[in-house]
Amino acid sequence: MNRGVSTLDFILRLIAIMATLVSAIAMGTTSKTLPFITWLIRFRARYNDLPTFTFFVIANSIVCAYLVVSLAISILHITRSAEQGTRVILIFFDTAMLALLTAGASAAAAIVYLAHKGNTRANWFVICQQFNSFCEHISGSLIGSFGAILLFTLLILLSSLALSWH
Amino acid sequence: MNRGVSTLDFILRLIAIMATLVSAIAMGTTSKTLPFITWLIRFRARYNDLPTFTFFVIANSIVCAYLVVSLAISILHITRSAEQGTRVILIFFDTAMLALLTAGASAAAAIVYLAHKGNTRANWFVICQQFNSFCEHISGSLIGSFGAILLFTLLILLSSLALSWH
Protein backbone atom coordinates (compact mmCIF):
# COMPACT_ATOMS: atom_id res chain seq x y z
CA MET A 1 0.00 0.00 0.00
CA ASN A 2 2.80 2.43 0.97
CA ARG A 3 4.69 1.52 -2.19
CA GLY A 4 1.66 2.45 -4.29
CA VAL A 5 1.39 5.78 -2.47
CA SER A 6 5.10 6.45 -3.04
CA THR A 7 4.77 5.70 -6.75
CA LEU A 8 1.79 8.08 -6.99
CA ASP A 9 3.88 10.65 -5.10
CA PHE A 10 6.63 10.28 -7.74
CA ILE A 11 4.19 10.70 -10.66
CA LEU A 12 2.50 13.75 -9.08
CA ARG A 13 5.94 15.34 -8.60
CA LEU A 14 6.74 14.81 -12.29
CA ILE A 15 3.46 16.52 -13.28
CA ALA A 16 4.15 19.38 -10.82
CA ILE A 17 7.64 19.85 -12.33
CA MET A 18 6.04 20.24 -15.76
CA ALA A 19 3.37 22.62 -14.44
CA THR A 20 5.80 24.98 -12.66
CA LEU A 21 8.30 24.83 -15.51
CA VAL A 22 5.63 25.74 -18.08
CA SER A 23 4.40 28.56 -15.83
CA ALA A 24 7.88 29.99 -15.35
CA ILE A 25 8.72 29.78 -19.06
CA ALA A 26 5.33 31.12 -20.20
CA MET A 27 5.68 34.15 -17.93
CA GLY A 28 9.41 34.60 -18.53
CA THR A 29 9.08 34.68 -22.32
CA THR A 30 6.06 36.97 -22.43
CA SER A 31 8.01 39.85 -23.95
CA LYS A 32 8.99 37.77 -26.96
CA THR A 33 5.44 37.00 -27.98
CA LEU A 34 4.70 40.58 -28.89
CA PRO A 35 7.24 41.57 -31.55
CA PHE A 36 4.55 42.66 -34.02
CA ILE A 37 3.15 45.39 -31.78
CA THR A 38 6.54 46.70 -30.63
CA TRP A 39 6.53 49.56 -33.13
CA LEU A 40 2.90 50.47 -32.73
CA ILE A 41 2.94 51.30 -29.05
CA ARG A 42 4.97 53.59 -26.85
CA PHE A 43 6.75 50.76 -25.07
CA ARG A 44 7.11 47.08 -25.22
CA ALA A 45 5.25 45.20 -22.50
CA ARG A 46 7.47 42.71 -20.72
CA TYR A 47 6.82 40.56 -17.70
CA ASN A 48 9.61 42.21 -15.71
CA ASP A 49 8.03 45.64 -16.00
CA LEU A 50 6.07 44.50 -12.97
CA PRO A 51 8.15 43.19 -10.00
CA THR A 52 5.30 40.86 -9.04
CA PHE A 53 5.75 38.91 -12.27
CA THR A 54 9.50 38.66 -11.67
CA PHE A 55 8.70 37.21 -8.24
CA PHE A 56 6.28 34.79 -9.92
CA VAL A 57 9.01 33.51 -12.27
CA ILE A 58 11.53 33.20 -9.41
CA ALA A 59 9.04 31.37 -7.14
CA ASN A 60 8.10 28.91 -9.91
CA SER A 61 11.77 28.30 -10.73
CA ILE A 62 12.71 27.63 -7.09
CA VAL A 63 9.75 25.26 -6.61
CA CYS A 64 10.56 23.48 -9.88
CA ALA A 65 14.21 23.00 -8.82
CA TYR A 66 13.11 21.73 -5.40
CA LEU A 67 10.73 19.23 -7.03
CA VAL A 68 13.57 17.83 -9.18
CA VAL A 69 15.72 17.31 -6.04
CA SER A 70 12.76 15.80 -4.14
CA LEU A 71 12.39 13.12 -6.84
CA ALA A 72 15.44 11.41 -5.30
CA ILE A 73 13.70 11.13 -1.92
CA SER A 74 10.50 10.01 -3.65
CA ILE A 75 12.43 7.16 -5.34
CA LEU A 76 13.96 6.25 -1.94
CA HIS A 77 10.41 5.93 -0.55
CA ILE A 78 9.42 3.56 -3.37
CA THR A 79 12.36 1.24 -2.68
CA ARG A 80 12.35 1.58 1.14
CA SER A 81 8.72 2.21 2.04
CA ALA A 82 9.31 2.02 5.81
CA GLU A 83 11.21 5.34 5.93
CA GLN A 84 9.63 7.77 8.43
CA GLY A 85 12.12 10.59 9.00
CA THR A 86 12.50 11.53 5.35
CA ARG A 87 8.71 11.67 4.95
CA VAL A 88 8.45 14.24 7.74
CA ILE A 89 11.24 16.29 6.12
CA LEU A 90 9.43 16.03 2.78
CA ILE A 91 6.13 17.20 4.31
CA PHE A 92 7.91 20.20 5.87
CA PHE A 93 9.61 21.31 2.64
CA ASP A 94 6.50 20.56 0.56
CA THR A 95 4.56 22.86 2.89
CA ALA A 96 7.15 25.63 2.61
CA MET A 97 7.19 25.30 -1.19
CA LEU A 98 3.38 25.29 -1.31
CA ALA A 99 3.41 28.61 0.59
CA LEU A 100 6.06 30.11 -1.74
CA LEU A 101 4.22 28.98 -4.88
CA THR A 102 0.84 30.22 -3.59
CA ALA A 103 2.40 33.57 -2.70
CA GLY A 104 3.85 33.97 -6.20
CA ALA A 105 0.72 32.80 -8.01
CA SER A 106 -1.81 34.83 -6.05
CA ALA A 107 0.30 38.01 -6.07
CA ALA A 108 0.51 37.69 -9.87
CA ALA A 109 -3.24 36.93 -10.02
CA ALA A 110 -3.99 40.12 -8.07
CA ILE A 111 -1.98 42.19 -10.58
CA VAL A 112 -3.51 40.36 -13.59
CA TYR A 113 -6.97 41.08 -12.14
CA LEU A 114 -6.02 44.75 -11.83
CA ALA A 115 -4.70 44.79 -15.42
CA HIS A 116 -8.05 43.38 -16.62
CA LYS A 117 -10.43 45.38 -14.43
CA GLY A 118 -8.46 48.43 -13.32
CA ASN A 119 -9.58 50.37 -10.24
CA THR A 120 -11.40 53.68 -10.59
CA ARG A 121 -11.02 54.60 -6.92
CA ALA A 122 -7.23 54.36 -7.06
CA ASN A 123 -7.08 55.76 -10.64
CA TRP A 124 -5.40 52.59 -11.84
CA PHE A 125 -6.37 52.06 -15.47
CA VAL A 126 -7.17 48.88 -17.35
CA ILE A 127 -4.05 48.04 -19.36
CA CYS A 128 -5.40 44.94 -21.09
CA GLN A 129 -7.14 46.96 -23.79
CA GLN A 130 -3.76 48.09 -25.16
CA PHE A 131 -1.90 44.88 -24.35
CA ASN A 132 -4.43 42.23 -25.15
CA SER A 133 -2.14 39.33 -26.08
CA PHE A 134 0.24 40.27 -23.23
CA CYS A 135 -2.67 39.91 -20.80
CA GLU A 136 -3.82 36.62 -22.28
CA HIS A 137 -0.29 35.27 -22.02
CA ILE A 138 0.24 36.24 -18.37
CA SER A 139 -3.25 35.00 -17.42
CA GLY A 140 -2.51 31.65 -19.07
CA SER A 141 0.81 31.25 -17.30
CA LEU A 142 -1.01 31.29 -13.94
CA ILE A 143 -2.82 28.02 -14.74
CA GLY A 144 0.29 25.83 -14.31
CA SER A 145 1.02 27.42 -10.94
CA PHE A 146 -2.47 26.91 -9.57
CA GLY A 147 -2.41 23.32 -10.84
CA ALA A 148 0.87 22.75 -8.98
CA ILE A 149 -0.69 24.19 -5.80
CA LEU A 150 -3.42 21.51 -5.95
CA LEU A 151 -0.75 18.85 -6.59
CA PHE A 152 1.23 19.98 -3.51
CA THR A 153 -1.89 19.70 -1.34
CA LEU A 154 -2.33 16.13 -2.64
CA LEU A 155 1.38 15.32 -2.06
CA ILE A 156 1.19 16.45 1.58
CA LEU A 157 -2.00 14.39 2.08
CA LEU A 158 -0.32 11.30 0.55
CA SER A 159 2.78 11.66 2.74
CA SER A 160 0.70 11.98 5.91
CA LEU A 161 -1.41 8.96 4.89
CA ALA A 162 1.80 6.95 4.37
CA LEU A 163 2.98 8.04 7.83
CA SER A 164 -0.29 7.01 9.50
CA TRP A 165 -0.37 3.60 7.79
CA HIS A 166 3.06 2.68 9.00
CA MET B 1 6.05 13.12 23.87
CA ASN B 2 2.94 13.13 21.65
CA ARG B 3 0.95 14.79 24.41
CA GLY B 4 3.50 17.61 24.58
CA VAL B 5 3.28 18.06 20.81
CA SER B 6 -0.53 18.14 21.00
CA THR B 7 -0.44 20.78 23.74
CA LEU B 8 1.96 22.91 21.67
CA ASP B 9 -0.41 22.40 18.70
CA PHE B 10 -3.28 23.77 20.82
CA ILE B 11 -1.28 26.83 21.94
CA LEU B 12 -0.09 27.61 18.39
CA ARG B 13 -3.71 27.43 17.18
CA LEU B 14 -4.77 29.93 19.84
CA ILE B 15 -2.02 32.34 18.70
CA ALA B 16 -3.00 31.83 15.04
CA ILE B 17 -6.66 32.59 15.91
CA MET B 18 -5.52 35.91 17.44
CA ALA B 19 -3.28 36.69 14.46
CA THR B 20 -5.92 36.09 11.77
CA LEU B 21 -8.64 37.82 13.82
CA VAL B 22 -6.48 40.91 14.32
CA SER B 23 -5.60 40.92 10.60
CA ALA B 24 -9.24 40.64 9.51
CA ILE B 25 -10.39 43.34 11.95
CA ALA B 26 -7.47 45.68 11.18
CA MET B 27 -8.17 45.48 7.44
CA GLY B 28 -11.97 45.48 7.83
CA THR B 29 -12.04 48.64 9.92
CA THR B 30 -9.56 50.60 7.82
CA SER B 31 -12.19 53.04 6.58
CA LYS B 32 -13.04 54.13 10.08
CA THR B 33 -9.52 55.21 10.94
CA LEU B 34 -9.61 58.09 8.49
CA PRO B 35 -12.55 60.30 9.52
CA PHE B 36 -10.42 63.43 9.75
CA ILE B 37 -9.38 63.41 6.12
CA THR B 38 -12.83 62.50 4.75
CA TRP B 39 -13.70 66.10 3.87
CA LEU B 40 -10.32 67.06 2.53
CA ILE B 41 -10.10 64.52 -0.26
CA ARG B 42 -12.29 63.58 -3.18
CA PHE B 43 -13.23 60.23 -1.75
CA ARG B 44 -12.89 58.24 1.38
CA ALA B 45 -10.41 55.38 1.14
CA ARG B 46 -11.92 52.13 2.36
CA TYR B 47 -10.53 48.62 2.28
CA ASN B 48 -13.38 47.39 0.08
CA ASP B 49 -12.58 49.87 -2.69
CA LEU B 50 -10.12 47.16 -3.75
CA PRO B 51 -11.58 43.64 -4.22
CA THR B 52 -8.24 42.13 -3.18
CA PHE B 53 -8.62 43.56 0.32
CA THR B 54 -12.16 42.19 0.57
CA PHE B 55 -10.74 38.77 -0.34
CA PHE B 56 -8.07 39.27 2.34
CA VAL B 57 -10.71 39.89 5.02
CA ILE B 58 -12.83 36.91 3.85
CA ALA B 59 -9.80 34.57 3.74
CA ASN B 60 -8.67 35.60 7.24
CA SER B 61 -12.22 35.19 8.61
CA ILE B 62 -12.62 31.70 7.11
CA VAL B 63 -9.21 30.58 8.44
CA CYS B 64 -9.98 32.06 11.87
CA ALA B 65 -13.35 30.21 12.01
CA TYR B 66 -11.65 26.97 10.91
CA LEU B 67 -9.01 27.36 13.63
CA VAL B 68 -11.70 27.74 16.30
CA VAL B 69 -13.37 24.51 15.11
CA SER B 70 -9.99 22.72 14.91
CA LEU B 71 -9.37 23.47 18.60
CA ALA B 72 -11.83 20.68 19.41
CA ILE B 73 -9.73 18.13 17.46
CA SER B 74 -6.58 19.55 19.06
CA ILE B 75 -8.06 18.91 22.54
CA LEU B 76 -9.00 15.38 21.43
CA HIS B 77 -5.34 14.80 20.51
CA ILE B 78 -4.18 15.94 23.97
CA THR B 79 -6.51 13.50 25.73
CA ARG B 80 -6.17 10.62 23.24
CA SER B 81 -2.67 10.97 21.82
CA ALA B 82 -2.81 7.71 19.82
CA GLU B 83 -5.32 9.09 17.27
CA GLN B 84 -4.02 8.74 13.70
CA GLY B 85 -6.94 9.36 11.35
CA THR B 86 -7.89 12.74 12.78
CA ARG B 87 -4.26 13.91 12.52
CA VAL B 88 -4.24 13.15 8.79
CA ILE B 89 -7.54 15.03 8.37
CA LEU B 90 -6.09 17.94 10.36
CA ILE B 91 -2.93 18.02 8.17
CA PHE B 92 -5.11 18.09 5.04
CA PHE B 93 -7.33 20.96 6.20
CA ASP B 94 -4.36 22.84 7.70
CA THR B 95 -2.68 22.63 4.27
CA ALA B 96 -5.80 23.90 2.48
CA MET B 97 -6.17 26.76 4.98
CA LEU B 98 -2.46 27.62 4.65
CA ALA B 99 -2.96 27.94 0.88
CA LEU B 100 -6.08 30.11 1.31
CA LEU B 101 -4.38 32.38 3.86
CA THR B 102 -1.21 32.72 1.76
CA ALA B 103 -3.32 33.56 -1.31
CA GLY B 104 -5.16 36.31 0.58
CA ALA B 105 -2.07 37.74 2.25
CA SER B 106 0.19 37.80 -0.80
CA ALA B 107 -2.49 39.18 -3.13
CA ALA B 108 -3.02 41.99 -0.63
CA ALA B 109 0.75 42.45 -0.32
CA ALA B 110 1.05 42.81 -4.11
CA ILE B 111 -1.57 45.59 -4.11
CA VAL B 112 -0.03 47.29 -1.05
CA TYR B 113 3.34 47.21 -2.82
CA LEU B 114 1.72 48.82 -5.87
CA ALA B 115 0.07 51.46 -3.67
CA HIS B 116 3.47 52.32 -2.18
CA LYS B 117 5.62 52.15 -5.30
CA GLY B 118 3.20 52.55 -8.23
CA ASN B 119 4.24 51.41 -11.69
CA THR B 120 5.32 53.90 -14.32
CA ARG B 121 5.14 51.39 -17.18
CA ALA B 122 1.47 50.60 -16.52
CA ASN B 123 0.68 54.21 -15.55
CA TRP B 124 -0.46 53.08 -12.12
CA PHE B 125 0.22 55.91 -9.68
CA VAL B 126 1.46 55.80 -6.11
CA ILE B 127 -1.62 56.32 -3.92
CA CYS B 128 0.14 56.25 -0.56
CA GLN B 129 1.15 59.91 -0.79
CA GLN B 130 -2.49 60.95 -0.55
CA PHE B 131 -3.60 58.16 1.77
CA ASN B 132 -0.68 57.83 4.11
CA SER B 133 -2.44 56.51 7.23
CA PHE B 134 -4.63 54.25 5.04
CA CYS B 135 -1.48 52.67 3.60
CA GLU B 136 0.14 52.26 7.01
CA HIS B 137 -3.00 50.60 8.32
CA ILE B 138 -3.33 48.09 5.47
CA SER B 139 0.40 47.32 5.55
CA GLY B 140 0.19 46.64 9.29
CA SER B 141 -2.80 44.34 8.92
CA LEU B 142 -0.68 42.01 6.74
CA ILE B 143 1.65 41.19 9.66
CA GLY B 144 -0.90 39.01 11.48
CA SER B 145 -1.59 37.02 8.33
CA PHE B 146 2.05 36.34 7.56
CA GLY B 147 2.59 35.35 11.21
CA ALA B 148 -0.30 32.88 10.92
CA ILE B 149 1.27 31.43 7.73
CA LEU B 150 4.44 30.60 9.70
CA LEU B 151 2.31 29.10 12.49
CA PHE B 152 0.46 26.85 10.00
CA THR B 153 3.80 25.57 8.63
CA LEU B 154 4.80 24.71 12.22
CA LEU B 155 1.41 23.05 12.91
CA ILE B 156 1.75 20.78 9.85
CA LEU B 157 5.31 19.88 10.88
CA LEU B 158 4.16 19.06 14.43
CA SER B 159 1.28 16.88 13.20
CA SER B 160 3.56 14.92 10.86
CA LEU B 161 6.12 14.47 13.68
CA ALA B 162 3.36 13.13 15.94
CA LEU B 163 2.34 10.69 13.16
CA SER B 164 5.92 9.45 12.65
CA TRP B 165 6.51 8.92 16.40
CA HIS B 166 3.49 6.73 16.79
Side-chain angles (χ1 to χ4, degrees):
Chain A
M1 195 114 137
N2 261 2
R3 183 156 298 174
V5 166
S6 299
T7 313
L8 186 57
D9 180 281
F10 184 79
I11 295 165
L12 290 180
R13 275 173 208 280
L14 283 180
I15 301 170
I17 287 171
M18 294 296 219
T20 50
L21 194 64
V22 165
S23 265
I25 291 172
M27 182 67 85
T29 58
T30 298
S31 64
K32 286 174 189 160
T33 62
L34 299 168
F36 57 94
I37 62 161
T38 308
W39 303 103
L40 298 175
I41 51 170
R42 191 164 60 85
F43 60 86
R44 183 170 167 168
R46 295 184 61 189
Y47 79 98
N48 55 7
D49 289 334
L50 287 151
T52 311
F53 294 149
T54 311
F55 174 57
F56 177 85
V57 173
I58 294 169
N60 273 282
S61 307
I62 291 173
V63 171
C64 186
Y66 159 78
L67 281 167
V68 171
V69 174
S70 76
L71 282 180
I73 302 175
S74 191
I75 291 168
L76 177 83
H77 288 159
I78 297 174
T79 53
R80 294 168 64 186
S81 57
E83 285 289 339
Q84 298 271 76
T86 49
R87 283 194 201 274
V88 174
I89 293 168
L90 212 56
I91 287 180
F92 178 71
F93 281 105
D94 280 356
T95 308
M97 290 295 148
L98 168 69
L100 177 64
L101 192 62
T102 311
S106 74
I111 301 296
V112 167
Y113 180 85
L114 200 61
H116 277 285
K117 301 271 177 179
N119 189 285
T120 48
R121 283 305 188 93
N123 279 324
W124 289 335
F125 310 116
V126 175
I127 58 168
C128 283
Q129 289 167 338
Q130 302 158 271
F131 301 106
N132 196 21
S133 66
F134 172 75
C135 276
E136 278 172 18
H137 203 130
I138 55 175
S139 308
S141 67
L142 296 180
I143 298 169
S145 259
F146 281 105
I149 289 168
L150 290 179
L151 289 173
F152 265 112
T153 313
L154 266 177
L155 283 171
I156 293 167
L157 178 64
L158 284 178
S159 294
S160 59
L161 276 176
L163 276 178
S164 72
W165 284 336
H166 181 65
Chain B
M1 196 115 137
N2 261 2
R3 182 156 298 173
V5 166
S6 300
T7 312
L8 186 56
D9 181 281
F10 184 80
I11 295 165
L12 290 180
R13 275 173 208 280
L14 283 180
I15 300 171
I17 287 171
M18 293 299 219
T20 50
L21 194 66
V22 165
S23 266
I25 290 173
M27 182 67 86
T29 58
T30 298
S31 64
K32 288 175 187 156
T33 61
L34 300 167
F36 58 94
I37 63 161
T38 308
W39 304 104
L40 298 175
I41 51 170
R42 192 164 60 85
F43 59 85
R44 182 169 166 169
R46 295 184 60 189
Y47 80 97
N48 56 5
D49 290 334
L50 288 151
T52 312
F53 293 149
T54 310
F55 174 57
F56 177 86
V57 173
I58 293 169
N60 272 283
S61 306
I62 291 173
V63 171
C64 186
Y66 159 78
L67 281 167
V68 170
V69 173
S70 75
L71 282 180
I73 302 175
S74 190
I75 292 170
L76 177 83
H77 288 158
I78 298 175
T79 52
R80 294 168 63 185
S81 58
E83 286 289 340
Q84 298 271 77
T86 49
R87 282 194 202 274
V88 175
I89 293 167
L90 212 55
I91 286 179
F92 178 71
F93 281 105
D94 280 357
T95 309
M97 290 296 148
L98 167 68
L100 177 64
L101 192 62
T102 311
S106 76
I111 300 297
V112 167
Y113 181 84
L114 200 62
H116 277 286
K117 300 271 177 178
N119 189 285
T120 49
R121 283 305 188 94
N123 278 324
W124 289 334
F125 310 116
V126 175
I127 57 168
C128 283
Q129 289 167 337
Q130 300 159 272
F131 301 105
N132 197 21
S133 66
F134 173 75
C135 276
E136 278 172 18
H137 203 130
I138 55 177
S139 309
S141 67
L142 296 178
I143 298 169
S145 259
F146 281 105
I149 289 168
L150 290 179
L151 289 173
F152 265 112
T153 314
L154 266 177
L155 284 171
I156 293 167
L157 178 64
L158 283 178
S159 293
S160 60
L161 276 177
L163 276 177
S164 73
W165 284 337
H166 181 65

